[in-house]
């Protein structure tokens, strides 16, 4: 298959007319390329990175930053922050951006994987996938593992330097974020399955089915999390499952009162996860027994974060709560002006969290005190990510703005 190189210009949308024209041009170009290349292979490549990616201490290579999905950054970023560049992906972004060795990787609902230079927001190009990228990919070394919502191959491995396809696996539709531990990737599917595949070639290692009858399985919109021993995920059937990582056998199952869309967070043998029954649950990861349950008063779609003995979570009522991990009671509540669907990001003793009120908040994690607020140009549905001294804020489902501390 020939290699098609597409240079994606950096779009700086200061005026609506300029943005609309750029979007129209871009969509036409991509549609033409996809029509040609999909006939040949199902995946277009157009990445020109030209260097190996090294491992850095602040790399953010999977959803939640690590297998436990705790959303804790190794970087401490103190506001005020100011924008330094803006990137328009021209299509929806549902997963968080990833950063490895100052290179950003992000998927879009149009089925494109964009590779961007962190320093100035310039593009290294993009690869066109078989279908929409709903979840956050995984980056390991010079490779990226991309989930797909539809199509024949719904987990694809690409070589990041040129976008070349290494392998693809037929696992069923995936709208969640893969989990990587060692030599294996773990994915949950809309077919109601948890599947372990080999990172080297995408071969299936084991599969766990939430119900033996396919017609009775409910979709899974909750990404898997792990403490290294147990894989935990929620399901639309309202249950939280604990599956042994090595064998794929069910160890326990806990039933909540409604569907579980949120990704669990694992911390010190405890699973913290919210449900659409408006409750936050703490479940023992060894036994599946309930430790405590706290009714938040609103449905929880978002993943929590954990730090300093508290779980932080937002709800559809716009409230951000800090729930004490010992007592299961709230230490503080902060009220935004709209729905919160993204996970808080822990940075030192601060929380960065966005809301559909178009604001990014920086709160004291101990008290909930607001110390800074940034007004974005659109609603914030995706969790922010920090790499070094740069915070990446995704807004209106298509733009990424880089912010860094103001120089004194």
């Amino acid at each position: 298959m020939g290699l098609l190189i597409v240079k994606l210009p950096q779009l700086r949308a200061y005026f609506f007319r300029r943005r609309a024209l750029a979007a129209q041009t871009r969509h036409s170009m991509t549609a033409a390329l996809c029509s040609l290349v999909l006939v040949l292979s199902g995946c277009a490549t157009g990445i020109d990175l030209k260097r190996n990616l090294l491992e850095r201490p602040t790399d953010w290579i999977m959803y939640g930053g690590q297998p436990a999905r705790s959303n804790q950054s190794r970087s401490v970023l103190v506001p005020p922050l100011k924008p330094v560049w803006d990137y328009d992906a021209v299509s929806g972004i549902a997963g968080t951006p990833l950063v490895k060795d100052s290179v950003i990787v992000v998927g879009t609902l149009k089925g494109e994987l964009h590779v961007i230079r962190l320093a100035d927001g310039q593009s290294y190009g993009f690869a066109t996938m078989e279908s929409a990228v709903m979840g956050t990919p995984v980056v390991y070394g010079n490779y990226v593992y991309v989930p797909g919502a539809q199509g024949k191959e719904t987990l694809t491995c690409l070589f990041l330097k040129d976008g070349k396809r290494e392998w693809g696996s037929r696992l069923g539709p995936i709208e969640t974020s893969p989990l990587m531990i060692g030599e294996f990737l773990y994915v949950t599917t809309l077919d109601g399955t948890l599947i372990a595949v080999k990172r080297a070639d995408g071969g299936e290692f084991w599969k766990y089915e939430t119900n033996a009858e396919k017609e009775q399985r409910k979709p899974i919109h909750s990404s898997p999390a792990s403490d290294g021993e147990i894989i935990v995920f929620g399901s639309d059937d309202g249950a939280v499952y604990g599956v042994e990582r090595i064998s794929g056998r069910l160890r326990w199952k806990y039933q909540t009162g409604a569907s579980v869309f949120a990704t669990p967070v694992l911390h010190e043998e405890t699973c913290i996860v919210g449900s659409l029954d408006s409750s936050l649950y703490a479940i023992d990861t060894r036994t599946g027994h309930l430790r405590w349950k706290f009714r938040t008063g609103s449905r929880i779609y978002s993943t929590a974060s954990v730090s300093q003995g508290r779980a932080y979570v937002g709800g559809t009522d716009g409230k951000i709560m800090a729930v004490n991990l010992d007592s299961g009671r709230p230490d503080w509540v902060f009220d935004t002006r709209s729905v919160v669907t993204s996970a808080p990001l822990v940075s030192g003793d601060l929380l960065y969290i966005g809301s559909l009120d178009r604001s990014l908040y920086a709160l004291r994690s101990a008290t909930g005190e607001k110390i800074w607020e940034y007004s974005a140009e659109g609603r914030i549905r995706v969790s922010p990510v920090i790499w070094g001294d740069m915070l990446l804020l995704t807004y209106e489902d298509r733009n990424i703005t880089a912010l860094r501390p103001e120089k004194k």
Side-chain angles (χ1 to χ4, degrees), residues 193-214:
T193 60
L194 168 68
I195 306 174
V197 302
K198 300 173 185 177
R199 180 163 51 80
D201 57 13
E204 183 179 310
F205 185 59
W206 55 252
K207 177 191 290 188
Y208 172 76
E209 299 172 337
T210 54
N211 192 300
E213 299 295 329
K214 183 175 181 180

Side-chain angles (χ1 to χ4, degrees), residues 130-131 146-156 168-174:
E130 189 176 357
S131 68
V146 188
Q150 300 178 41
K152 295 181 179 180
E153 296 180 346
T154 53
L155 186 65
T156 306
S169 293
R170 300 185 178 189
L171 304 179
I174 303 171

Side-chain angles (χ1 to χ4, degrees), residues 58 72-84 118 345-353 360-365 371-372 374 384-393 401-408:
T58 57
Q72 292 190 45
S73 173
R74 292 188 177 93
S75 300
V76 177
L77 213 56
V78 179
L81 310 178
K82 66 176 183 179
V84 292
L118 179 68
L345 175 66
V346 178
S347 176
D349 63 351
L350 299 178
L351 296 178
Y352 287 96
I353 185 165
L360 175 71
Y361 298 92
L363 310 178
R364 294 284 183 197
S365 59
I371 64 169
W372 179 72
Y374 174 77
V385 169
I386 294 174
W387 195 92
D389 68 344
M390 201 89 81
L391 181 145
L392 300 177
L393 176 65
T401 294
L403 302 102
R404 63 162 38 123
E406 295 181 1
K407 294 181 179 179
K408 297 181 179 179

Side-chain angles (χ1 to χ4, degrees), residues 355-371:
S355 168
L356 298 195
D357 66 4
R358 302 187 175 197
S359 291
L360 175 71
Y361 298 92
L363 310 178
R364 294 284 183 197
S365 59
T367 65
E369 174 193 4
K370 184 182 77 172
I371 64 169

Side-chain angles (χ1 to χ4, degrees), residues 14-27:
Y14 294 117
F15 302 101
F16 177 83
R17 182 175 298 176
R18 186 175 302 176
R19 173 178 286 174
L21 178 60
Q24 181 180 0
T25 303
R26 169 71 187 287
H27 278 292

